[in-house]
Amino acid sequence: MPSTPAFARTSSFPPRPRHNIFSAQDNGFVRTNSSNHHSDHSRPTSPISSTLGGTRKQHSRSPPQLRPRSPRTSLRFPPPTQTSTFILPGKRGKVTRLILVAVILFPPVAFFFLAMLPFLIVVSVVVTYSIAWLLYWLRAGPFSFSILPLDPRRVWKLNKVVFSVILGDLDLIPVGLALVRYRYFTMRGSNDFIMDVHYNPRRPNNKMDIYIPEGAVRSSDLKAYQGDMDLDHKAALKPVVVFIYGGAWSAGSRWTYTLIGARLRSMGYVVFLPDYSIHPQGFVAEMEQDVKMAIQWTHNNCRSYGGDPQQLYLMGHSAGAHLCALTVLNDSIRRIPTSLLGSSPAAIKTSPILTTLLTERKDDRHSGVLPRIRGMILCSGVYDIGEHYKHESMRGVEEISAMARVMGSSEVTFRQHSPTIILQELLQVSTGIDPTYPTESQTRHQHFLRHLKSLLPIETVVIHGDKDTTVPWKSSSEFYMELKTLQLGAGARLRMMAGMSHTEPVVALMPNLVNNPFTKPLLSEISQFIDGNRTLQ
């Protein structure tokens, strides 16, 4: 028998009978009776009960005892220290599982890619060559299988150009939406926009659009219009801008550049936006004639739309800038007297360009001459065809570009249609000094410069971006330096825009929902160039 505790033996009461053990779970602890094996917690005899002789029974029961629950009594809530041996805690466990998955899946995945690698190579080659050959079929002139490129380097360059153009065109989506809204909704039924105006009787398909600003006084608004206006009406006349768009001499239309006309119109200018003969419908001679006739028609009719013929400005971008400079420069040279060109007739013959221009002077008399242009704004233009052909060859696009075919496909014609080269030969001939008559030669040169300045635009601003990969910025800088060397740069200035690409001079001027960082600088430059000259006049 178990021994009786000492304090129980000293009690006057007999030992309490044992009761059945019961347990209840309460918040993780076990509640038991006062009598539990050797842990007998029966209350000892109190002094009061001893005094009374032990005749009073103790009816109060001791409170239930609480003890921690054994882990075996519950399987629902394991202790927080219990962890699974298959799961590692933290980042180390995640990395381990990823490594296990990679090790298990790597063999089949690697085998799949190795099996598909020849197929992927064949598909890539077929796609890239198909894109390159499609470009040649569409853009390389007379098509023949002998001209298709086989060199992988050329094919890669062509694909690079294609994808760069596609990615660049994604940025034009907001511009396209704004163009459709403006062309077909804003311009519809408005008297401030006149479309499809014929300006060229030689090529009736070439037309122009006219954008008239608010506040312009038209001839139809006058009660008696005789071709002359009084001083008040002359003061109300607006500056006139003729915009010649680009497009590599083979693309573009006045419809595409509607937002340019809208922007310049909002600045208070009367804008004339003509089409011209692009390749293959026309070559450089036809393009030059179209630009010349557009300027002449604008000068003769701009008053009817509130424009000031004395404030005529010519603006062009890319190929359009080249055509502006070439048209104005050739027209000025054709009007220079032969007696001012060089120290002797032999000096003129040393310049094939001047010889050709003087020969064309007789054939071009019926087309008239250009009016005096107040200023030119040339953006991202090509002014040396030979150097640009080298740049196109480096990019691998010289055969799909229409420039070489438009310019005559020879080095001689390249030089003949390059404004920079024309200025170089003009300087070489005009500064030639006859050893027999040195004083007369110098005097002739001074007269030549004065006469040439009276024919060229009064001021010229050349704008280019240093991030232009289509036309390098050196094209504009070299053209500007030739103007300075020929002492024609007093009214010319060069503006290099940091971070600007080739298309951004026109995209930044097209109003749309996307803000362009070059919009404000370009607008400020144009406004200062035109309105500043108007104030000083």
mmCIF file of all heavy atoms in Angstrom, residues 381-413:
data_model
loop_
_atom_site.group_PDB
_atom_site.id
_atom_site.type_symbol
_atom_site.label_atom_id
_atom_site.label_comp_id
_atom_site.label_asym_id
_atom_site.label_seq_id
_atom_site.Cartn_x
_atom_site.Cartn_y
_atom_site.Cartn_z
ATOM 1 N N GLY A 381 18.122 69.198 -92.255
ATOM 2 C CA GLY A 381 18.217 69.071 -93.692
ATOM 3 C C GLY A 381 19.454 68.344 -94.171
ATOM 4 O O GLY A 381 20.445 68.188 -93.452
ATOM 5 N N VAL A 382 19.392 67.908 -95.435
ATOM 6 C CA VAL A 382 20.516 67.286 -96.137
ATOM 7 C C VAL A 382 21.066 68.326 -97.102
ATOM 8 O O VAL A 382 20.363 68.758 -98.018
ATOM 9 C CB VAL A 382 20.072 66.024 -96.901
ATOM 10 C CG1 VAL A 382 21.246 65.402 -97.651
ATOM 11 C CG2 VAL A 382 19.447 65.013 -95.946
ATOM 12 N N TYR A 383 22.324 68.714 -96.923
ATOM 13 C CA TYR A 383 22.915 69.769 -97.744
ATOM 14 C C TYR A 383 24.138 69.297 -98.528
ATOM 15 O O TYR A 383 24.673 70.067 -99.317
ATOM 16 C CB TYR A 383 23.296 70.959 -96.855
ATOM 17 C CG TYR A 383 22.162 71.409 -95.966
ATOM 18 C CD1 TYR A 383 22.190 71.168 -94.593
ATOM 19 C CD2 TYR A 383 21.032 72.033 -96.499
ATOM 20 C CE1 TYR A 383 21.140 71.558 -93.780
ATOM 21 C CE2 TYR A 383 19.976 72.419 -95.692
ATOM 22 C CZ TYR A 383 20.038 72.174 -94.325
ATOM 23 O OH TYR A 383 18.997 72.548 -93.513
ATOM 24 N N ASP A 384 24.562 68.053 -98.315
ATOM 25 C CA ASP A 384 25.659 67.473 -99.096
ATOM 26 C C ASP A 384 25.223 66.056 -99.481
ATOM 27 O O ASP A 384 25.277 65.127 -98.665
ATOM 28 C CB ASP A 384 26.955 67.445 -98.281
ATOM 29 C CG ASP A 384 28.166 67.096 -99.133
ATOM 30 O OD1 ASP A 384 27.991 66.440 -100.179
ATOM 31 O OD2 ASP A 384 29.293 67.473 -98.755
ATOM 32 N N ILE A 385 24.787 65.885 -100.720
ATOM 33 C CA ILE A 385 24.223 64.614 -101.155
ATOM 34 C C ILE A 385 25.276 63.515 -101.148
ATOM 35 O O ILE A 385 24.997 62.367 -100.769
ATOM 36 C CB ILE A 385 23.602 64.767 -102.559
ATOM 37 C CG1 ILE A 385 22.515 65.864 -102.543
ATOM 38 C CG2 ILE A 385 23.003 63.456 -103.027
ATOM 39 C CD1 ILE A 385 21.385 65.603 -101.603
ATOM 40 N N GLY A 386 26.492 63.830 -101.556
ATOM 41 C CA GLY A 386 27.541 62.819 -101.572
ATOM 42 C C GLY A 386 27.858 62.280 -100.189
ATOM 43 O O GLY A 386 27.995 61.062 -99.995
ATOM 44 N N GLU A 387 27.987 63.159 -99.208
ATOM 45 C CA GLU A 387 28.258 62.719 -97.842
ATOM 46 C C GLU A 387 27.079 61.943 -97.263
ATOM 47 O O GLU A 387 27.265 60.971 -96.525
ATOM 48 C CB GLU A 387 28.586 63.924 -96.963
ATOM 49 C CG GLU A 387 29.934 64.551 -97.251
ATOM 50 C CD GLU A 387 31.084 63.593 -96.971
ATOM 51 O OE1 GLU A 387 30.987 62.827 -95.982
ATOM 52 O OE2 GLU A 387 32.054 63.602 -97.735
ATOM 53 N N HIS A 388 25.889 62.359 -97.601
ATOM 54 C CA HIS A 388 24.729 61.639 -97.086
ATOM 55 C C HIS A 388 24.600 60.263 -97.738
ATOM 56 O O HIS A 388 24.123 59.315 -97.093
ATOM 57 C CB HIS A 388 23.453 62.447 -97.322
ATOM 58 C CG HIS A 388 22.256 61.889 -96.615
ATOM 59 N ND1 HIS A 388 22.151 61.829 -95.248
ATOM 60 C CD2 HIS A 388 21.108 61.311 -97.100
ATOM 61 C CE1 HIS A 388 21.006 61.272 -94.906
ATOM 62 N NE2 HIS A 388 20.360 60.939 -96.018
ATOM 63 N N TYR A 389 25.021 60.132 -98.978
ATOM 64 C CA TYR A 389 25.009 58.823 -99.611
ATOM 65 C C TYR A 389 25.969 57.873 -98.890
ATOM 66 O O TYR A 389 25.679 56.680 -98.727
ATOM 67 C CB TYR A 389 25.399 58.953 -101.085
ATOM 68 C CG TYR A 389 25.341 57.648 -101.844
ATOM 69 C CD1 TYR A 389 24.129 57.133 -102.279
ATOM 70 C CD2 TYR A 389 26.499 56.928 -102.094
ATOM 71 C CE1 TYR A 389 24.072 55.928 -102.971
ATOM 72 C CE2 TYR A 389 26.458 55.722 -102.781
ATOM 73 C CZ TYR A 389 25.243 55.225 -103.218
ATOM 74 O OH TYR A 389 25.182 54.033 -103.889
ATOM 75 N N LYS A 390 27.111 58.378 -98.451
ATOM 76 C CA LYS A 390 28.040 57.557 -97.663
ATOM 77 C C LYS A 390 27.399 57.138 -96.347
ATOM 78 O O LYS A 390 27.580 55.997 -95.884
ATOM 79 C CB LYS A 390 29.330 58.326 -97.400
ATOM 80 C CG LYS A 390 30.130 58.646 -98.658
ATOM 81 C CD LYS A 390 31.373 59.460 -98.305
ATOM 82 C CE LYS A 390 32.153 59.831 -99.555
ATOM 83 N NZ LYS A 390 33.357 60.654 -99.238
ATOM 84 N N HIS A 391 26.661 58.046 -95.730
ATOM 85 C CA HIS A 391 25.982 57.711 -94.476
ATOM 86 C C HIS A 391 24.902 56.662 -94.710
ATOM 87 O O HIS A 391 24.744 55.733 -93.892
ATOM 88 C CB HIS A 391 25.372 58.976 -93.877
ATOM 89 C CG HIS A 391 24.636 58.750 -92.597
ATOM 90 N ND1 HIS A 391 25.257 58.403 -91.416
ATOM 91 C CD2 HIS A 391 23.306 58.797 -92.310
ATOM 92 C CE1 HIS A 391 24.365 58.257 -90.454
ATOM 93 N NE2 HIS A 391 23.169 58.490 -90.970
ATOM 94 N N GLU A 392 24.164 56.770 -95.801
ATOM 95 C CA GLU A 392 23.167 55.749 -96.113
ATOM 96 C C GLU A 392 23.822 54.399 -96.391
ATOM 97 O O GLU A 392 23.264 53.351 -96.019
ATOM 98 C CB GLU A 392 22.344 56.188 -97.327
ATOM 99 C CG GLU A 392 21.366 57.312 -97.039
ATOM 100 C CD GLU A 392 20.463 57.599 -98.215
ATOM 101 O OE1 GLU A 392 20.794 57.174 -99.338
ATOM 102 O OE2 GLU A 392 19.419 58.249 -98.013
ATOM 103 N N SER A 393 24.988 54.406 -97.019
ATOM 104 C CA SER A 393 25.695 53.150 -97.272
ATOM 105 C C SER A 393 26.134 52.504 -95.966
ATOM 106 O O SER A 393 26.093 51.268 -95.827
ATOM 107 C CB SER A 393 26.918 53.411 -98.161
ATOM 108 O OG SER A 393 26.527 53.981 -99.400
ATOM 109 N N MET A 394 26.549 53.301 -95.008
ATOM 110 C CA MET A 394 26.930 52.768 -93.713
ATOM 111 C C MET A 394 25.730 52.135 -93.006
ATOM 112 O O MET A 394 25.870 51.118 -92.318
ATOM 113 C CB MET A 394 27.532 53.873 -92.839
ATOM 114 C CG MET A 394 28.035 53.408 -91.495
ATOM 115 S SD MET A 394 28.587 54.779 -90.455
ATOM 116 C CE MET A 394 27.044 55.663 -90.217
ATOM 117 N N ARG A 395 24.555 52.699 -93.186
ATOM 118 C CA ARG A 395 23.345 52.143 -92.588
ATOM 119 C C ARG A 395 22.763 50.997 -93.407
ATOM 120 O O ARG A 395 21.863 50.292 -92.939
ATOM 121 C CB ARG A 395 22.285 53.234 -92.441
ATOM 122 C CG ARG A 395 22.668 54.381 -91.536
ATOM 123 C CD ARG A 395 21.588 55.439 -91.547
ATOM 124 N NE ARG A 395 20.338 54.938 -91.005
ATOM 125 C CZ ARG A 395 19.133 55.392 -91.357
ATOM 126 N NH1 ARG A 395 19.029 56.346 -92.268
ATOM 127 N NH2 ARG A 395 18.044 54.889 -90.824
ATOM 128 N N GLY A 396 23.249 50.799 -94.637
ATOM 129 C CA GLY A 396 22.766 49.718 -95.482
ATOM 130 C C GLY A 396 21.476 50.021 -96.207
ATOM 131 O O GLY A 396 20.796 49.091 -96.674
ATOM 132 N N VAL A 397 21.114 51.290 -96.375
ATOM 133 C CA VAL A 397 19.839 51.652 -96.992
ATOM 134 C C VAL A 397 20.028 52.442 -98.285
ATOM 135 O O VAL A 397 19.061 52.987 -98.812
ATOM 136 C CB VAL A 397 18.975 52.468 -96.007
ATOM 137 C CG1 VAL A 397 18.669 51.668 -94.767
ATOM 138 C CG2 VAL A 397 19.668 53.781 -95.625
ATOM 139 N N GLU A 398 21.254 52.512 -98.808
ATOM 140 C CA GLU A 398 21.484 53.361 -99.976
ATOM 141 C C GLU A 398 20.751 52.859 -101.211
ATOM 142 O O GLU A 398 20.407 53.652 -102.115
ATOM 143 C CB GLU A 398 22.984 53.487 -100.249
ATOM 144 C CG GLU A 398 23.641 52.273 -100.895
ATOM 145 C CD GLU A 398 23.947 51.169 -99.918
ATOM 146 O OE1 GLU A 398 23.573 51.304 -98.738
ATOM 147 O OE2 GLU A 398 24.574 50.171 -100.334
ATOM 148 N N GLU A 399 20.474 51.543 -101.288
ATOM 149 C CA GLU A 399 19.815 51.003 -102.472
ATOM 150 C C GLU A 399 18.294 51.096 -102.387
ATOM 151 O O GLU A 399 17.627 51.121 -103.424
ATOM 152 C CB GLU A 399 20.247 49.554 -102.685
ATOM 153 C CG GLU A 399 21.724 49.414 -103.026
ATOM 154 C CD GLU A 399 22.108 47.982 -103.332
ATOM 155 O OE1 GLU A 399 21.188 47.134 -103.393
ATOM 156 O OE2 GLU A 399 23.297 47.704 -103.513
ATOM 157 N N ILE A 400 17.747 51.115 -101.182
ATOM 158 C CA ILE A 400 16.293 51.264 -101.063
ATOM 159 C C ILE A 400 15.901 52.731 -100.899
ATOM 160 O O ILE A 400 14.721 53.059 -100.991
ATOM 161 C CB ILE A 400 15.749 50.443 -99.881
ATOM 162 C CG1 ILE A 400 16.300 50.966 -98.557
ATOM 163 C CG2 ILE A 400 16.053 48.974 -100.057
ATOM 164 C CD1 ILE A 400 15.672 50.318 -97.337
ATOM 165 N N SER A 401 16.862 53.609 -100.656
ATOM 166 C CA SER A 401 16.579 55.040 -100.578
ATOM 167 C C SER A 401 16.455 55.602 -101.989
ATOM 168 O O SER A 401 17.216 55.246 -102.903
ATOM 169 C CB SER A 401 17.697 55.763 -99.825
ATOM 170 O OG SER A 401 17.522 57.163 -99.899
ATOM 171 N N ALA A 402 15.515 56.517 -102.167
ATOM 172 C CA ALA A 402 15.295 57.124 -103.488
ATOM 173 C C ALA A 402 16.228 58.289 -103.752
ATOM 174 O O ALA A 402 16.211 58.837 -104.854
ATOM 175 C CB ALA A 402 13.840 57.591 -103.601
ATOM 176 N N MET A 403 17.051 58.679 -102.780
ATOM 177 C CA MET A 403 17.855 59.889 -102.941
ATOM 178 C C MET A 403 18.799 59.793 -104.131
ATOM 179 O O MET A 403 18.902 60.732 -104.941
ATOM 180 C CB MET A 403 18.661 60.152 -101.675
ATOM 181 C CG MET A 403 19.438 61.458 -101.706
ATOM 182 S SD MET A 403 20.639 61.606 -100.371
ATOM 183 C CE MET A 403 21.856 60.393 -100.906
ATOM 184 N N ALA A 404 19.519 58.686 -104.252
ATOM 185 C CA ALA A 404 20.486 58.559 -105.343
ATOM 186 C C ALA A 404 19.799 58.639 -106.698
ATOM 187 O O ALA A 404 20.294 59.311 -107.624
ATOM 188 C CB ALA A 404 21.257 57.246 -105.205
ATOM 189 N N ARG A 405 18.676 57.984 -106.867
ATOM 190 C CA ARG A 405 17.964 58.029 -108.148
ATOM 191 C C ARG A 405 17.398 59.405 -108.417
ATOM 192 O O ARG A 405 17.384 59.879 -109.558
ATOM 193 C CB ARG A 405 16.859 56.967 -108.155
ATOM 194 C CG ARG A 405 17.384 55.552 -108.007
ATOM 195 C CD ARG A 405 16.269 54.529 -108.195
ATOM 196 N NE ARG A 405 15.273 54.613 -107.138
ATOM 197 C CZ ARG A 405 15.378 53.977 -105.976
ATOM 198 N NH1 ARG A 405 16.453 53.240 -105.718
ATOM 199 N NH2 ARG A 405 14.432 54.062 -105.070
ATOM 200 N N VAL A 406 16.907 60.072 -107.363
ATOM 201 C CA VAL A 406 16.349 61.421 -107.540
ATOM 202 C C VAL A 406 17.429 62.402 -107.957
ATOM 203 O O VAL A 406 17.207 63.285 -108.793
ATOM 204 C CB VAL A 406 15.662 61.868 -106.233
ATOM 205 C CG1 VAL A 406 15.315 63.347 -106.282
ATOM 206 C CG2 VAL A 406 14.401 61.052 -105.987
ATOM 207 N N MET A 407 18.635 62.246 -107.408
ATOM 208 C CA MET A 407 19.723 63.199 -107.657
ATOM 209 C C MET A 407 20.583 62.865 -108.871
ATOM 210 O O MET A 407 21.549 63.563 -109.139
ATOM 211 C CB MET A 407 20.613 63.292 -106.415
ATOM 212 C CG MET A 407 19.877 63.704 -105.168
ATOM 213 S SD MET A 407 19.101 65.329 -105.320
ATOM 214 C CE MET A 407 18.004 65.296 -103.898
ATOM 215 N N GLY A 408 20.269 61.797 -109.603
ATOM 216 C CA GLY A 408 21.000 61.519 -110.831
ATOM 217 C C GLY A 408 21.947 60.352 -110.765
ATOM 218 O O GLY A 408 22.541 59.983 -111.785
ATOM 219 N N SER A 409 22.178 59.759 -109.596
ATOM 220 C CA SER A 409 22.974 58.534 -109.448
ATOM 221 C C SER A 409 24.412 58.686 -109.950
ATOM 222 O O SER A 409 24.996 57.751 -110.512
ATOM 223 C CB SER A 409 22.294 57.359 -110.177
ATOM 224 O OG SER A 409 21.007 57.127 -109.654
ATOM 225 N N SER A 410 25.000 59.846 -109.788
ATOM 226 C CA SER A 410 26.406 60.037 -110.156
ATOM 227 C C SER A 410 27.013 61.073 -109.231
ATOM 228 O O SER A 410 26.304 61.913 -108.648
ATOM 229 C CB SER A 410 26.539 60.475 -111.616
ATOM 230 O OG SER A 410 26.031 61.775 -111.816
ATOM 231 N N GLU A 411 28.319 61.032 -109.119
ATOM 232 C CA GLU A 411 29.012 61.966 -108.240
ATOM 233 C C GLU A 411 28.868 63.403 -108.722
ATOM 234 O O GLU A 411 28.749 64.335 -107.916
ATOM 235 C CB GLU A 411 30.484 61.586 -108.142
ATOM 236 C CG GLU A 411 31.277 62.436 -107.168
ATOM 237 C CD GLU A 411 32.714 62.009 -107.067
ATOM 238 O OE1 GLU A 411 33.076 60.988 -107.683
ATOM 239 O OE2 GLU A 411 33.481 62.702 -106.356
ATOM 240 N N VAL A 412 28.852 63.582 -110.031
ATOM 241 C CA VAL A 412 28.727 64.935 -110.594
ATOM 242 C C VAL A 412 27.360 65.529 -110.246
ATOM 243 O O VAL A 412 27.264 66.683 -109.801
ATOM 244 C CB VAL A 412 28.949 64.906 -112.120
ATOM 245 C CG1 VAL A 412 28.688 66.286 -112.723
ATOM 246 C CG2 VAL A 412 30.352 64.430 -112.440
ATOM 247 N N THR A 413 26.308 64.764 -110.428
ATOM 248 C CA THR A 413 24.973 65.281 -110.109
ATOM 249 C C THR A 413 24.773 65.417 -108.606
ATOM 250 O O THR A 413 24.024 66.283 -108.158
ATOM 251 C CB THR A 413 23.902 64.358 -110.708
ATOM 252 O OG1 THR A 413 24.110 63.010 -110.229
ATOM 253 C CG2 THR A 413 23.982 64.356 -112.225
#
